Amino acid sequence: MEASDISSFSQTLSADDNNMEGITADCCANEVKNGRDETVLYKLEKIRHVKQKQSQDNNSSMQMIQDFLEEELQDPSPYFISTKSLLRYALILDIVGQTCRRSVCFTKGYGSYVEGTGSVLKTASDVELASVFQSFETLSEDEKLTQLAKLKLRYFTPREVANLHGFPPEFSFPEKISLKQRYRLLGNSLNIHVVAKLIKLMVE
């Protein structure tokens, strides 16, 4: 990629940030670090990844993540990500903010494993990802944890995953079902609205 292309893309990102009224700042990278082809913008995200996420977050037909969150989460502590996992997986976490309109698929390993099991939520709405991950690789472990703590990252609760899957408000698990079991069951689920549409198409 030529330097002129990088400059042009940086201007596009900046323009999109203004149009999105801060959504991109909450969800995506907004600066290019250097001009090498396939170079990451921050974390491990490349320009094509950021473009795709911007497109998804610009889709006003989709609800924001905040619409699926528990309004009053009494005790968020079971959902915080351990410091060990943060240090090991920080660069590959799919981090979404409350104003994003996307998440990756949740699997039955969510909550137990980190890599490739689902998005995690950035609850600090006033902190930008790019500022936290700037020069991240050059920091000590303690400095990395200090930076990551600013994001206040947590897993989505089982209720929130159920909401994203389209489960009705009255849906609930029996009290005896553990947190791990709830994630496993939800990870084997499909969005009921998508399934309903597919069945309708099949029978028409």
Side-chain angles (χ1 to χ4, degrees):
M1 178 174 288
E2 299 295 334
S4 59
D5 294 331
I6 291 290
S7 176
S8 176
F9 183 71
S10 297
Q11 294 172 8
T12 300
L13 284 176
S14 178
D16 286 345
D17 284 344
N18 294 330
N19 292 335
M20 295 172 67
E21 299 181 352
I23 291 177
T24 299
D26 196 36
C27 306
C28 304
N30 57 12
E31 73 174 3
V32 175
K33 290 181 183 268
N34 56 54
R36 290 182 298 173
D37 190 28
E38 289 296 290
T39 297
V40 297
L41 301 181
Y42 80 103
K43 283 176 83 233
L44 297 180
E45 297 193 352
K46 301 171 184 176
I47 289 177
R48 55 188 170 87
H49 299 143
V50 175
K51 283 184 175 181
Q52 181 182 32
K53 291 181 178 181
Q54 281 188 324
S55 176
Q56 293 169 327
D57 289 322
N58 270 324
N59 185 356
S60 58
S61 68
M62 304 296 292
Q63 291 177 265
M64 291 183 180
I65 290 293
Q66 62 190 12
D67 298 330
F68 301 92
L69 302 180
E70 293 192 54
E71 292 184 3
E72 295 183 6
L73 184 58
Q74 298 298 326
D75 181 17
S77 59
Y79 309 106
F80 289 132
I81 303 172
S82 70
T83 54
K84 180 180 178 180
S85 294
L86 282 176
L87 284 174
R88 183 173 181 180
Y89 298 106
L91 294 179
I92 60 173
L93 286 172
D94 183 71
I95 302 171
V96 296
Q98 298 181 43
T99 53
C100 290
R101 301 177 188 271
R102 61 164 194 88
S103 70
V104 297
C105 179
F106 296 94
T107 74
K108 65 180 183 180
Y110 193 68
S112 298
Y113 303 98
V114 179
E115 185 175 0
T117 60
S119 300
V120 297
L121 180 66
K122 177 172 76 70
T123 59
S125 58
D126 59 336
V127 180
E128 294 186 15
L129 290 180
S131 66
V132 168
F133 285 98
Q134 185 175 10
S135 303
F136 190 76
E137 292 287 5
T138 66
L139 304 178
S140 68
E141 286 194 356
D142 287 341
E143 290 172 329
K144 288 178 179 179
L145 285 175
T146 298
Q147 286 292 91
L148 291 169
K150 297 177 182 178
L151 298 173
K152 298 180 180 178
L153 297 176
R154 69 166 175 85
Y155 293 107
F156 285 86
T157 70
R159 177 66 259 182
E160 291 165 347
V161 177
N163 291 341
L164 287 164
H165 280 162
F167 285 40
E170 59 269 22
F171 169 82
S172 64
F173 286 104
E175 289 296 325
K176 65 179 181 180
I177 303 299
S178 69
L179 180 61
K180 182 176 181 178
Q181 288 174 315
R182 295 180 188 198
Y183 280 133
R184 288 178 67 86
L185 291 167
L186 288 166
N188 284 327
S189 302
L190 297 172
N191 185 290
I192 60 175
H193 299 297
V194 173
V195 174
K197 290 286 187 182
L198 290 174
I199 292 176
K200 184 178 179 181
L201 289 172
M202 290 172 63
V203 300
E204 283 182 347

